[in-house]
Amino acid sequence: MANTRVNSSAPQVQIKFLTKQEQYAVPDFPLSVHTSIVPNELNTLVNELLKESTDITSDIEFDFLVCSQFLRSSLAEHIAEKNVSTEEVIIVEYVEKYPPPEPQDCLIHDDWVSAVAVCEKWILTGCYDNTLHIWTSRGKHQLVIPGHTSPVKAVAWISLTNDAASFVSASQDQTAIIWDWNIAENSVDCIHVCRGHERGLEAISVNLDKSMMATGAWDTMLKIWSTANYEENEDGESISKRLKSEHGKTRVPKRTMKGHKEAISGVVWSDITEIITSSWDHTIKIWDSELGGIKNELAGNKSFFDLDYSPLNRTVITASADRHVRLYDPRSTEGVLVKSTFTSHTQWVQSVRWSTVNESLFISGAYDNDMKLWDTRSPKAPLFDLSGHEDKVLCCNWSNPKFMVSGGADNTVRIFKSQHVTC
């Protein structure tokens, strides 16, 4: 077996198979293969070795990592691109291939769906007709919520129990509204109307302990607000009782931070006191929410439409006014800011979201009507195109590891079930 897949016209190279998935481990002796070998042939080879050395009898689909990137071409092309010598023994790491997500329900709305957030089995959506909607992950329409006077551009969950939930919506009407939802009665109350922005809101993010939220708007300002249902008066006494009678009391921001020159398009908390924002002004800024200042800035060459931060790998992905998704390490002190560029969309990328359980996976939605599932180890091609929308994708969400969800200008939300949850 040590001399396999011989192609007389191609030079030979020594490879050694390695996997972190112990149930699929094969003997790690070097094998001699031709450099023109491609992933399908490597897959056949690993499966033959598995059948010889384990009790596994059925074929398993694997992906192959060489120099930390998935092999998507012949081994010769890949190692040439990575400047790897054919004199070395090349380590080929293999992982079980991610199974294709399964299309589930299509949730039909009356207008463009511009915001979506998932919490456990509940899906919250915001639309261009100024309404909010709550759905179950099985596609049942639970509630329609009027209240805003302009399109809803962002939504986020604050809390959820068996009986009650709270969430926030941000709108082009210059307000964010905090809502309480009585699940048993299926009724909502507008608790606070957050006023302070002078132009429409674009983005919202709730911090890790759910006590604060940050909003970004067309007025270029970043504002921080309390999410609490009650507020304290000057004596420190709770005035929640008084709020009951003042339905939808106006709330003012705790802090306003200035620094962007154009609209803020994306907001995400990356730490207890750290916020990262993206803007149409071609920059990403990292803010200290307590000190109220900018800690760091990353410059791009296009307008940013969205961003997301992963606490698992501590990096940022961005959606831009070109076809690319870019990965940044905000803490890097090296010269190169962009660590990877992911290219497959054919039009503007509008929305990006990391997996909450797998540090390598994220989704993106674009004006080409597609949502795509990516692995950071495969920048040249997505794992899957999650098609279904008949118009541009405006938002996406992967907060519940089981469901990849996208909303679009075709008035629908598409749900894809993830077949494989890595914890």
Side-chain angles (χ1 to χ4, degrees), residues 98 101 116-118 308 353-358 360-363 372-374 396-405 416-418 420-421:
Y98 196 91
V116 61
V118 184
D308 197 23
R353 288 295 179 270
W354 282 109
S355 164
T356 56
V357 293
N358 187 315
S360 302
L361 299 179
F362 67 89
I363 54 175
K372 293 176 187 277
L373 171 61
W374 297 87
C396 63
N397 186 270
W398 201 1
S399 301
N400 181 333
K402 294 178 186 172
F403 301 108
M404 304 166 196
V405 179
F416 285 83
K417 189 173 183 184
S418 172
H420 183 80
V421 176

Side-chain angles (χ1 to χ4, degrees), residues 46-292:
V46 169
N47 274 287
E48 285 177 11
L49 290 168
L50 272 175
K51 286 168 188 171
E52 285 177 11
S53 58
T54 71
D55 297 331
I56 293 171
T57 54
S58 55
D59 281 358
I60 294 156
E61 288 277 313
F62 292 106
D63 263 324
F64 298 90
L65 283 156
V66 179
C67 305
S68 303
Q69 269 195 17
F70 281 139
L71 189 65
R72 296 291 187 239
S73 59
S74 70
L75 186 59
E77 290 173 64
H78 191 90
I79 60 177
E81 194 177 291
K82 299 290 179 190
N83 294 322
V84 176
S85 167
T86 53
E87 302 299 313
E88 299 173 22
V89 176
I90 294 165
I91 302 297
V92 177
E93 184 184 344
Y94 56 102
V95 295
E96 189 176 3
K97 194 171 271 198
Y98 196 91
E102 282 185 6
Q104 303 287 299
D105 295 285
C106 171
L107 314 181
I108 298 169
H109 296 66
D110 292 333
D111 208 339
W112 289 14
V113 182
S114 40
V116 61
V118 184
C119 188
E120 296 181 15
K121 69 173 184 177
W122 303 109
I123 299 172
L124 174 65
T125 59
C127 294
Y128 262 71
D129 63 4
N130 317 341
T131 61
L132 297 165
H133 299 260
I134 299 174
W135 307 75
T136 71
S137 57
R138 294 182 176 273
K140 184 185 176 213
H141 191 218
Q142 202 76 10
L143 197 60
V144 56
I145 307 163
H148 284 289
T149 56
S150 291
V152 178
K153 295 305 297 288
V155 291
W157 292 90
I158 298 169
S159 67
L160 175 66
T161 65
N162 288 335
D163 307 316
S166 63
F167 49 85
V168 59
S169 53
S171 166
Q172 287 182 349
D173 65 12
Q174 305 180 12
T175 71
I177 298 179
I178 297 174
W179 307 84
D180 260 3
W181 176 33
N182 182 320
I183 297 174
E185 295 177 7
N186 198 27
S187 62
V188 291
D189 277 329
C190 164
I191 301 298
H192 294 290
V193 180
C194 302
R195 299 185 190 276
H197 283 290
E198 293 176 9
R199 292 185 68 190
L201 279 69
E202 274 292 303
I204 196 156
S205 178
V206 178
N207 73 348
L208 304 179
D209 68 6
K210 311 298 186 184
S211 63
M212 311 283 281
M213 63 185 191
T215 54
W218 280 89
D219 62 7
T220 75
M221 300 300 172
L222 175 65
K223 292 181 184 283
I224 297 173
W225 319 73
S226 168
T227 61
N229 270 3
Y230 62 87
E231 292 190 85
E232 294 181 341
N233 63 17
E234 290 173 4
D235 303 322
E237 179 192 346
S238 169
I239 53 170
S240 56
K241 285 181 183 171
R242 186 159 61 82
L243 284 185
K244 299 283 189 214
S245 60
E246 292 182 25
H247 187 70
K249 180 179 167 65
T250 293
R251 174 166 283 179
V252 295
K254 286 188 168 291
R255 186 183 287 280
T256 296
M257 294 188 279
K258 185 176 182 179
H260 281 295
K261 293 182 175 64
E262 292 188 49
I264 294 175
S265 55
V267 176
V268 63
W269 292 81
S270 51
D271 211 333
I272 296 166
T273 60
E274 187 177 272
I275 302 166
I276 307 178
T277 56
S278 61
S279 169
W280 282 60
D281 66 12
H282 301 191
T283 68
I284 298 163
K285 295 190 194 297
I286 302 170
W287 308 76
D288 186 312
S289 65
E290 286 199 335
L291 298 178

